[in-house]
C-alpha cells in the first residue's frame, strides 16, 4: 500500500491535544505512523495553510434501512433538486433530504466524514439495512438495533432479569450484525400498536405492565453488564411536544443510577440523541419556548451522559423515526402524507415530510434551541453535532450548522432576519450567547468525542500514530480564519483531501476512489442461557412470521467486516 | 345469423393458472387453465351455447377464440372472466391513462359462438399476433 | 440416501413462505418431495426436475427456429445490442435476487436503459397512490398477533397467495389472538363470489368498477354522514353496520389486490382505501397492505429505491440522471409508443402478461430474454439465455409483500454448466465495459 506524508498543515486533534500546530502526518499501510517511519518514496502532500483533522464520525443518522428507503420511494418529489451524476468515479446521485445510497456515501466523504452510524435498525429488517450499507460507498458504517419496545426485553425487565436481557441483546447483535442498544420512545411504540402512546417515563405500557423508566434503567444495566463499546443510545419519550423538557430531565437523571463498565475508554452510560427535540418549554405550540439552558445545566453536571444536538436546518425534509405515534401526531399537524410500519414483536416506524420554515415561529425556535445546546455545552467531548438526519434537516447541511456555531455574526444575521425575530429572541436565549466554537472544539464534537462515545477511540477520531488513517484536510487557514460563515460552509462541504484507510478517496471535493467500506459490529460472548434460548425458539414458533433459521444476516451481506469481539462470560 | 352478446370482461389470477404457469407455459395444464372464458350460465343461454363450447371474444383491440366454461368462482350475469395469460392479453386494451397500468379489468367484449374454430396454443397465440411463423 | 433441506423459502408469490421442507437426492441434483408448500409452490420446485429443460442459450435463426449457442456468444450479442441501442427497456427483475438487480442496474446506468419491474402491470397503481397519500401498514406478524378485523378487498388470496390466510390473516393463533379465526371477523369485498369470499364471515358484493364509490361510502359512514340507498350495489344499512363493526375492533387491516389496481380509477381506488385506513385510525388501530404478486417484485422496488429513489419505471437513458414518470417511463406505454429500440427481459414474462399491442412492439425489436424456462417472451426473442432458478438452484435476497427481506436458499444444483443471474449479468457487464472502452 502506498505511503503518504502530509506536510505543513495545521493539525487539530483532541486525542493528542494538538490545537492547530503545524505537524507532519505520515501514513503507511492504512495507519498513521511517525514521520520517520515512512520511506523517502512516500508521496508528499502540501497542506500549507490548511486544516487537518481526523475523519469525522457521524453518531446518529438515518441513512440505511426500511424506513429510509420508504422515504426515498414515496417521495419522488425529493429528487427534483440536486439529483444528477457529479464528476469523478461516481454513480448517479439522487435525493435532497433522503439521498440514495450512492449520494449518501459520496456526500459524507466530500464533507470529511469516514464513519456513519445508522441510528435505528429493526432486527427483522436487518438484512435490508445491511444491503443498503453494502451499497453505500467509501464510508464505514454500523447500525443500532432497536430494543426499547421489544417483547423479549419488556418481559425480562418486567421481572428485572438483567442477565437474560443481556444474553438476548448479545444474541440480537450477533444475528443482526448490530453495534449497540438503541431505545426509541421506550414503551410508547409498543403502545402504538394499539394506537396509544407513553408520554412520560412512568406511563405503563399496555399489557406488559412496565414503565419507560424501568425499560431504560434495565437496558443501561444490561449494556454495562455486557460492557459494550457504546452506551445505550436513547430517543426519549414525548419527543417534539411543548413542555417535554421535564420528561427529558427525568430520563437523563436515570443515568445517575448506573456506572460505566467497559474496556473501550467510554465514560458515559447514556447517549441522549437529538436533544433539541426534547428541550421544549411552554404548554402548547402557541407558547413553546427554549429550555436548552435548563437541560444543558443538567447535562454539563453529569459526566455519565453524552448527547447529540439534532439541529434544525430550516429545509424541507422528511421526518422518519421508530417513534410511530409521533409521526401519526405530526401528520395530524401538517396533513402531509403519512407512512407507517408496525414491526411484529419489535418496533414500528413512521415517516412524514416536513417543511421547516424560517417564517414559522416554532421552527425558528427549534433552530435556536439546537444551536443553544451546542453553545451551552461545557465539554465538547460530550456534545456532538447532528441533524438527526433527515429529521431536523439533511446531513448535507452540517457545513451550514458548523458555520452558525463557529461564526456569531452569521448566526445573529439569521436570527435577526426571521419573520418573527422578536418573538424568537424572546422565547430563546440564543441572542445572549456570543460563544463561537473553535476548530479544536469542532474536532472534539465531530471526531474525538463521537469516537470515544462509540467506544472506538483506540483507532478512530484522532491522528495519533497507530490510529486508522482516516484524515480530512480542509481549505481553512487557522492563521487567517474566515470572517464569513459561508466561507466555513464552503470549506466544510468540499474537503481538499479525504484519506480513508490511507487511500485518497476525495480530492478537491471530487470522488477519486470508492475505497473499501467496512461494516462495524459487536460480537459478544455470553454464558449459555437456557431461558433465552427457550424464549427465542418459542417466539419464532408462535409469534414471528419468519422462521428462526431465516432471521440472521448472512455473512456475505457485509463483505468487509470490522468485528469488535468481547467476552462477557462473567465468571 | 349468429347471436352476439356484450359482456364486461375481467382478467384475474387463478390457482390453476398459477400451477399451470409453474408446470410450464407450454404445458397442457397451463393451456387448460387459461384458454377459457368463464360466463354465467344465463349468459350462455342468451348466446345460445352449451358449456364447453368455443367462442370468439372480441374487444376494441383484438379477438381470440377460447372455450366457454361455467365459472368456478361465481360471476353475476353480464360479467365474464378469462384468467390472466396470453389469451386474455390478446384482447386487453393497452392504454394506461398515464398510470402505466393497462385496463386488465372492466372492458366491454363481444362474444359469439365459434364452435368449429380452433384454440391456438399459448406460444402460437402470441406468435400469431406478432406475425411470426407458426409451426 | 436423501436429505431434507429445512426453512426453504418459496419463490412464487409475495407471501414468501419460509417454512418449506424439501427432500433432495444425496447428489444434490434432484428434488424428491416438497412439504408445506401450496400447490403452486410445489409445482415450482418439482418443475426443476422435469425433462426437456433448456440448459444453453438459444439464438433465433432467419427461418424462425432456435439454434443453441455458447454463453460467451450470448453474452457478446447481448452486450453489443445494449451498447448499440440508444434506449433499452430492461424489464422484469421480479423473480431474481436483489444481488442480481444491483449488477443489472450498473449495466443500465452505463448503457442508458430503462429499468422497470412488473409492478408496472400489477401494483404500480398502489405505488402511485402511496406517493400521493402515504400508507399506514405493518408486518404480517402484526396481523397474526393482533388483528381482529380483516378485510380482503379486490384480492383473492385463496388463488393468488394460497397460504396467506393460514399463515397470517385468517386462521393463525397469535399472541393477542389466541382464538385464531374465531377471534377475527373476516370481510371480503369483490365483484365475484371468490374462494376467498367463501372463507369470509361477510361477503360484500360490489358492482364491478364501483370500488371507489363504495370506499368513499365507507368513509362517509365512518364520519356519520348521509348515504344514498345503495352504493355500488351495496345497501346503505350494510355499509353503516360494517363501519360500526370495524370501529369496534382493536386492530383492523385491509388487504387489497388487482381488483383495485386494475380497474378504472387505478391509483385513486387505492388512495381512497388508504384514506379510509387513515380515518379509521381516529377510532382504533388500522393498517392496509398491498398483496404483492411476484415473490420479489417488492425487492426490485427496494433496490431501485435505494439506488435511484424510485420504485419502478426508472429511466436512466440520460446516463446522468434518473427519471420517473408513470405513463412516460412505464413499460407498456414505452412499447405502444415505440419509444425504445431494444428489449432486455429478465426473470418475468411480458410476452404472456402484457397486452398484445406492447408484445407486438417488442417482437419487432432486438430482444433478449433471460429466464430459466421457455415462455411467451423467449419465443418472440432473438436470444433466450436460460439461467439457474433463484430460490431453488441459487440463493439470493428477496422482499416479502410487507417489505421484510428474506435470503432465499439454494436447494439443488443447477444443471451442469448453467450460469446464475449474477454470473451472467456480471459477464455482460464486463463485456459492456470492454465495448464501451473501445468506443
Amino acid at each position: 500500500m502506498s505511503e503518504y506524508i502530509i506536510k505543513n498543515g495545521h493539525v487539530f486533534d483532541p486525542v493528542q491535544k494538538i490545537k492547530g500546530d503545524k505537524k507532519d502526518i505520515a501514513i503507511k499501510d492504512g495507519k498513521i505512523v511517525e514521520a520517520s517511519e515512512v520511506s523517502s518514496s512516500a508521496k508528499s502532500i502540501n497542506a500549507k495553510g490548511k486544516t487537518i483533522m481526523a475523519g469525522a464520525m457521524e453518531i446518529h443518522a438515518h441513512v440505511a434501512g426500511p424506513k429510509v428507503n420508504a422515504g426515498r420511494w414515496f417521495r419522488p418529489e425529493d429528487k427534483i433538486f440536486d439529483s444528477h451524476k457529479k464528476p469523478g468515479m461516481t454513480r448517479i446521485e439522487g435525493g435532497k433530504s433522503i439521498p440514495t445510497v450512492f449520494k449518501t456515501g459520496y456526500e459524507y466523504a466530500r464533507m470529511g466524514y469516514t464513519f456513519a452510524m445508522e441510528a435505528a435498525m429493526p432486527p427483522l429488517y436487518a438484512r435490508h439495512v445491511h444491503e443498503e450499507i453494502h451499497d453505500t460507498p467509501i464510508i464505514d458504517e454500523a447500525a443500532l438495533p432497536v430494543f426499547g419496545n421489544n417483547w423479549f426485553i419488556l418481559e425480562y425487565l418486567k421481572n428485572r432479569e438483567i442477565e437474560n436481557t443481556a444474553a438476548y441483546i448479545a444474541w440480537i447483535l450477533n444475528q443482526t450484525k448490530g453495534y449497540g442498544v438503541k431505545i426509541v420512545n421506550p414503551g410508547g411504540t409498543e403502545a402504538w400498536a394499539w394506537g396509544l402512546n407513553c408520554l412520560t417515563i412512568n406511563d405503563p405500557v399496555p399489557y406488559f405492565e412496565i414503565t419507560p423508566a424501568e425499560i431504560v434503567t434495565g437496558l443501561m444495566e444490561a449494556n454495562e453488564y455486557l460492557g459494550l463499546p457504546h452506551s445505550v443510545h436513547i430517543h426519549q419519550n414525548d419527543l417534539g411536544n411543548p413542555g417535554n423538557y421535564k420528561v427529558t430531565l427525568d430520563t437523563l437523571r436515570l443515568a445517575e443510577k448506573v456506572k460505566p463498565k467497559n474496556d473501550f475508554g467510554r465514560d458515559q452510560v447514556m447517549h441522549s440523541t437529538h436533544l433539541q427535540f426534547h428541550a421544549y418549554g411552554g404548554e402548547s405550540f402557541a407558547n413553546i419556548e427554549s429550555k436548552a439552558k435548563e437541560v444543558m445545566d443538567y447535562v454539563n453536571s453529569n459526566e455519565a451522559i453524552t448527547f447529540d444536538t439534532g439541529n434544525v436546518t430550516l429545509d424541507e425534509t422528511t421526518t422518519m423515526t421508530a417513534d410511530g405515534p409521533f409521526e401519526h401526531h405530526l401528520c395530524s399537524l401538517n396533513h402531509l402524507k403519512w407512512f407507517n410500519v408496525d414491526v411484529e414483536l419489535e418496533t414500528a416506524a413512521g415517516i412524514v415530510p416536513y417543511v421547516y420554515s424560517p417564517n414559522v415561529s416554532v421552527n425558528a425556535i427549534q433552530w435556536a434551541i439546537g444551536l443553544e445546546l451546542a453553545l451551552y455545552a461545557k465539554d465538547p467531548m460530550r456534545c456532538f453535532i447532528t441533524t438527526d438526519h433527515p429529521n431536523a434537516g439533511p446531513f448535507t447541511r452540517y457545513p451550514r450548522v458548523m458555520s452558525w456555531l463557529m461564526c456569531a455574526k452569521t448566526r445573529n444575521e439569521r436570527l435577526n432576519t426571521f419573520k418573527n425575530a422578536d418573538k424568537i429572541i424572546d422565547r430563546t436565549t440564543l441572542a445572549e450567547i456570543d460563544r463561537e466554537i473553535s476548530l479544536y472544539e469542532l474536532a472534539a464534537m465531530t471526531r474525538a468525542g463521537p469516537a470515544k462515545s462509540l467506544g472506538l477511540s483506540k483507532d478512530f477520531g484522532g491522528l495519533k500514530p497507530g490510529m486508522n488513517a482516516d484524515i480530512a484536510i480542509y481549505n481553512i487557514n487557522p492563521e487567517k480564519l474566515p470572517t464569513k460563515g459561508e466561507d466555513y460552509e464552503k470549506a466544510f462541504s468540499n474537503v481538499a483531501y479525504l484519506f480513508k484507510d490511507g487511500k485518497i478517496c476525495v480530492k478537491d471535493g471530487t470522488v477519486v476512489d470508492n475505497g473499501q467500506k467496512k461494516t462495524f459490529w459487536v460480537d459478544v460472548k455470553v454464558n449459555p442461557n437456557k431461558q433465552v434460548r427457550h424464549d427465542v425458539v418459542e417466539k419464532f414458533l408462535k409469534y414471528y412470521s419468519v422462521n428462526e433459521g431465516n432471521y440472521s444476516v448472512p455473512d456475505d451481506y457485509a463483505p468487509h467486516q470490522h468485528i469488535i469481539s468481547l467476552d462477557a462470560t462473567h465468571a | 345469423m349468429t347471436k352476439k352478446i356484450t359482456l364486461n370482461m375481467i382478467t384475474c389470477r387463478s390457482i390453476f393458472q398459477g400451477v399451470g404457469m409453474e408446470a410450464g407455459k407450454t404445458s397442457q395444464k397451463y393451456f387448460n387453465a387459461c384458454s377459457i372464458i368463464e360466463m354465467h350460465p344465463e349468459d350462455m343461454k342468451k348466446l345460445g351455447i352449451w358449456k364447453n363450447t368455443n367462442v370468439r371474444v372480441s374487444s376494441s383491440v383484438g379477438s381470440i377464440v377460447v372455450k366457454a366454461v361455467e365459472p368456478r368462482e361465481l360471476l353475476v350475469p353480464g360479467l365474464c372472466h378469462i384468467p390472466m395469460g396470453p389469451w386474455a392479453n390478446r384482447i386487453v386494451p393497452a392504454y394506461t391513462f398515464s398510470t402505466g397500468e393497462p385496463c386488465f379489468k372492466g372492458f366491454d367484449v363481444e362474444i359469439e359462438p365459434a364452435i368449429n374454430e380452433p384454440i391456438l396454443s399459448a406460444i402460437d397465440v402470441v406468435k400469431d399476433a406478432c406475425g411470426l411463423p407458426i409451426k | 440416501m436423501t436429505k431434507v433441506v429445512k426453512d426453504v423459502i418459496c419463490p412464487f408469490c409475495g407471501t414468501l413462505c419460509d417454512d418449506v421442507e424439501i427432500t433432495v437426492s444425496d447428489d444434490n441434483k434432484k428434488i424428491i418431495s416438497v412439504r408445506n408448500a401450496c400447490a403452486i409452490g410445489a409445482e415450482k420446485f418439482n418443475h426443476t426436475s422435469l425433462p426437456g429443460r433448456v440448459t444453453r442459450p438459444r439464438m433465433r435463426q432467419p427461418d424462425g427456429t432456435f439454434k443453441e449457442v455458447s454463453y460467451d456468444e450470448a453474452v457478446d450479442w447481448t452486450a453489443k445490442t445494449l451498447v448499440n441501442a440508444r434506449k433499452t427497456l430492461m424489464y422484469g427483475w421480479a423473480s431474481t435476487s436483489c444481488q442480481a438487480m444491483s449488477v443489472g442496474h450498473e449495466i443500465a446506468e452505463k448503457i442508458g436503459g430503462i429499468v422497470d419491474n412488473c409492478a408496472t402491470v400489477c401494483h404500480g397503481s398502489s405505488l402511485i397512490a402511496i406517493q400521493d397519500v402515504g400508507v399506514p401498514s405493518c408486518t404480517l406478524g402484526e396481523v397474526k398477533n393482533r388483528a381482529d378485523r380483516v378485510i380482503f378487498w379486490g384480492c383473492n388470496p385463496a388463488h393468488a397467495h394460497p397460504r396467506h390466510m393460514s399463515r397470517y390473516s385468517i386462521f393463525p393463533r397469535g399472541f393477542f389472538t389466541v382464538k385464531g379465526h374465531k377471534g377475527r371477523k373476516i370481510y371480503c369485498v369483490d365483484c365475484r363470489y371468490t374462494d376467498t369470499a367463501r372463507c369470509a364471515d361477510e361477503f360484500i358484493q360490489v358492482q364491478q368498477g364501483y370500488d371507489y364509490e363504495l370506499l368513499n361510502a365507507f368513509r362517509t359512514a365512518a364520519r356519520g354522514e348521509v348515504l344514498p340507498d345503495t352504493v355500488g350495489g351495496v345497501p346503505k344499512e350494510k355499509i353503516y353496520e360494517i363501519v360500526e363493526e370495524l370501529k369496534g375492533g382493536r386492530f383492523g387491516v385491509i388487504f387489497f389486490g388487482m381488483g383495485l389496481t386494475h380497474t378504472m380509477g387505478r391509483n385513486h381506488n387505492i388512495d381512497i382505501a388508504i384514506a379510509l385506513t387513515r380515518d379509521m385510525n381516529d377510532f382504533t388501530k388500522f393498517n392496509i397492505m398491498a398483496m404483492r404478486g411476484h415473490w420479489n417484485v417488492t425487492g426490485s422496488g427496494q433496490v431501485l429505491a435505494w439506488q435511484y429513489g424510485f420504485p419502478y419505471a426508472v429511466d436512466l437513458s440520460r446516463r446522468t440522471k434518473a427519471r420517473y414518470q408513470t405513463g412516460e417511463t412505464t413499460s407498456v406505454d414505452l412499447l405502444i409508443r415505440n419509444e425504445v429500440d431494444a428489449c432486455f427481459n429478465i426473470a418475468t414474462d411480458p410476452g404472456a402478461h402484457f397486452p398484445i399491442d406492447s408484445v407486438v412492439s417488442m417482437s419487432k425489436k432486438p430482444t433478449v430474454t433471460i429466464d430459466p424456462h421457455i415462455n411467451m417472451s423467449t419465443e418472440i426473442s432473438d436470444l433466450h439465455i436460460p439461467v439457474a432458478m433463484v430460490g431453488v438452484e441459487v440463493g439470493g435476497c428477496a422482499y416479502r409483500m410487507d417489505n421484510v427481506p428474506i435470503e432465499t436458499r439454494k436447494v439443488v444444483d443447477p444443471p451442469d454448466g448453467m450460469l446464475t443471474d449474477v454470473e451472467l449479468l456480471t459477464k455482460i457487464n464486463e463485456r459492456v465495459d470492454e465495448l464501451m472502452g473501445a468506443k
Side-chain angles (χ1 to χ4, degrees), chain C residues 300-353:
Chain C
S300 172
Q302 292 289 351
V303 182
L304 281 172
W306 77 61
Q307 300 194 341
Y308 303 108
F310 308 110
Y312 71 117
V314 179
D315 177 1
L316 302 169
S317 64
R318 287 193 193 171
R319 291 180 175 82
T320 55
K321 193 172 176 22
R323 291 175 66 252
Y324 158 85
Q325 179 64 59
T326 56
E328 193 188 327
T329 62
T330 35
S331 299
V332 172
D333 302 271
L334 287 165
L335 287 168
I336 56 177
R337 286 198 304 261
N338 267 309
E339 283 180 10
V340 288
D341 51 4
C343 295
F344 175 101
N345 301 318
I346 179 165
T348 306
D349 184 9
H353 298 142

Side-chain angles (χ1 to χ4, degrees), chain A residues 69 85 127 337 340 547 557, chain C residues 18 131 137 302 320 405 407:
Chain A
N69 213 33
K85 189 178 176 331
R127 287 168 300 282
K337 52 193 177 186
N340 179 76
N547 280 7
Y557 279 45
Chain C
D18 73 333
Q131 288 169 346
S137 195
Q302 292 289 351
T320 55
E407 175 76 8

Side-chain angles (χ1 to χ4, degrees), chain C residues 183-403:
Chain C
R184 296 192 176 92
K185 180 136 192 197
I186 313 294
Y187 305 84
C188 177
V189 186
D190 209 298
C191 64
R192 294 187 295 163
Y193 185 62
T194 59
D195 289 334
T196 302
R198 281 173 210 271
C199 302
D201 302 301
E202 184 100 54
F203 171 54
I204 300 118
Q205 186 150 30
V206 60
Q207 205 178 331
Q208 200 279 324
Y210 282 80
D211 301 276
Y212 186 95
E213 286 80 350
L214 187 57
L215 284 159
N216 207 352
F218 272 71
R219 289 190 79 189
T220 311
R223 291 164 187 230
E225 301 288 336
V226 182
L227 287 177
D229 289 343
T230 65
V231 179
V234 183
K236 68 174 179 188
E237 294 74 18
K238 190 93 241 168
I239 298 170
Y240 284 121
E241 180 193 319
I242 291 170
V243 164
E244 285 315 307
E245 284 176 10
L246 297 179
K247 284 184 186 173
R250 289 203 302 170
F251 187 109
V253 60
I254 301 174
F255 292 103
F256 66 95
M258 302 293 100
L260 292 187
T261 67
H262 278 168
T263 45
M264 192 48 89
R266 312 285 201 283
N267 51 310
H268 300 291
N269 297 333
I270 320 299
D271 71 38
I272 194 146
I274 293 170
L276 170 66
T277 312
R278 271 169 73 145
D279 289 357
M280 292 309 291
N281 271 292
D282 293 340
F283 305 102
T284 178
K285 178 78 180 183
F286 236 83
N287 284 320
I288 181 167
M289 197 186 299
M291 298 284 269
R292 305 300 299 269
H294 271 83
W295 60 280
N296 199 19
V297 62
T298 314
S300 172
Q302 292 289 351
V303 182
L304 281 172
W306 77 61
Q307 300 194 341
Y308 303 108
F310 308 110
Y312 71 117
V314 179
D315 177 1
L316 302 169
S317 64
R318 287 193 193 171
R319 291 180 175 82
T320 55
K321 193 172 176 22
R323 291 175 66 252
Y324 158 85
Q325 179 64 59
T326 56
E328 193 188 327
T329 62
T330 35
S331 299
V332 172
D333 302 271
L334 287 165
L335 287 168
I336 56 177
R337 286 198 304 261
N338 267 309
E339 283 180 10
V340 288
D341 51 4
C343 295
F344 175 101
N345 301 318
I346 179 165
T348 306
D349 184 9
H353 298 142
F354 275 9
I356 198 68
D357 289 350
S358 37
V359 181
V360 172
S361 168
M362 181 179 285
S363 73
K364 310 286 185 223
K365 306 178 196 323
T367 298
V368 53
T369 297
I370 298 167
D371 199 285
H373 302 299
I374 290 179
N375 60 33
M376 276 71 256
S377 305
T378 63
E379 298 315 286
I380 59 159
S381 298
D382 300 286
L383 176 63
H384 169 208
I385 312 181
V387 279
M389 287 171 72
V390 183
V392 182
E393 294 162 346
V394 59
C397 188
Y399 284 69
R400 202 165 66 184
M401 61 167 71
D402 54 356
N403 299 307

Side-chain angles (χ1 to χ4, degrees), chain C residues 91-94 115-121 292 297 300-301 304 311-313 331:
Chain C
Y91 172 79
W93 310 102
V115 183
D116 198 7
N117 58 46
C118 39
T120 206
V121 291
R292 305 300 299 269
V297 62
S300 172
L304 281 172
Y312 71 117
S331 299

